[in-house]
Amino acid sequence: MREDRRVVRVAAGIIRREGRVLAARRACGAQAGLWELPGGKVEPGETPEAALRREVEEELGCALAAAWPYDTVEYDYPDFHLSMEVFATGLAAGSEPARHEGVHDELRWLARDELLDVEWLPADDELVRALAFFWDEVLEDQQL
């Protein structure tokens, strides 16, 4: 990372349900049409886990169960450096995600063999490829 780059801190969730992971397709902006793990920006004074919970509530209208730190992704976009804290989690009992207009235009629950069927954001791509490889270790029931 170059010293003069703006750093954007985000939190993302590998949200698991019934052997599948939730993916969301961006509805607008420069990266519209690309898929991402749900989450968003970490506000000043906020922990990454709190940011993930807030963003999922705001953007998907649902709550998360317990969350465990999984990985940190550092990625250089042309205009900024992204630092993404990733958590492994599930949905809270009774929660069901729903897309909100202008944020995501599609949600999908992807099985391991479907992970590479969608075009991921550049920062998410390598993480998702590793997730496909380490699927059993990350998504075992005793983990989530």
Side-chain angles (χ1 to χ4, degrees), residues 26 28-34:
R26 286 193 171 188
C28 61
Q31 297 174 323
L34 298 178

Side-chain angles (χ1 to χ4, degrees), residues 57-72:
E57 175 66 35
E58 290 173 2
E59 295 182 354
L60 300 173
C62 62
L64 298 175
W68 290 271
Y70 173 70
D71 199 0
T72 301

Side-chain angles (χ1 to χ4, degrees), residues 48-60:
E49 183 181 346
L52 173 63
R53 292 181 182 284
R54 177 184 51 75
E55 288 281 349
V56 166
E57 175 66 35
E58 290 173 2
E59 295 182 354
L60 300 173

Side-chain angles (χ1 to χ4, degrees), residues 5-75:
R5 298 203 93 167
R6 174 174 62 104
V7 175
V8 176
R9 292 183 62 224
V10 300
I14 299 170
I15 302 173
R16 174 198 179 272
R17 179 173 76 182
E18 298 172 1
R20 294 177 178 268
V21 170
L22 183 61
R25 188 171 65 187
R26 286 193 171 188
C28 61
Q31 297 174 323
L34 298 178
W35 292 81
E36 66 183 350
L37 295 171
K41 288 184 182 175
V42 177
E43 300 294 337
E46 188 175 44
T47 67
E49 183 181 346
L52 173 63
R53 292 181 182 284
R54 177 184 51 75
E55 288 281 349
V56 166
E57 175 66 35
E58 290 173 2
E59 295 182 354
L60 300 173
C62 62
L64 298 175
W68 290 271
Y70 173 70
D71 199 0
T72 301
V73 174
E74 302 290 338
Y75 188 84

Side-chain angles (χ1 to χ4, degrees), residues 64-86:
L64 298 175
W68 290 271
Y70 173 70
D71 199 0
T72 301
V73 174
E74 302 290 338
Y75 188 84
D76 284 317
Y77 281 102
D79 299 339
F80 64 93
H81 177 80
L82 182 80
S83 181
M84 180 170 63
E85 297 289 328
V86 182

Side-chain angles (χ1 to χ4, degrees), residues 90-141:
L91 294 173
S95 276
E96 184 63 35
R99 64 180 185 80
H100 283 66
E101 286 298 322
V103 179
H104 298 111
D105 59 12
E106 187 176 348
L107 300 177
R108 283 191 198 169
W109 289 99
L110 301 175
R112 181 182 197 168
D113 63 349
E114 299 170 320
L115 284 176
L116 303 181
D117 290 352
V118 300
E119 186 178 355
W120 293 92
L121 289 170
D124 290 40
D125 189 66
E126 187 176 331
L127 175 79
V128 170
R129 288 177 187 281
L131 177 60
F133 187 76
F134 293 108
W135 185 266
D136 293 334
E137 290 82 355
V138 177
L139 300 180
E140 285 295 317
D141 285 340

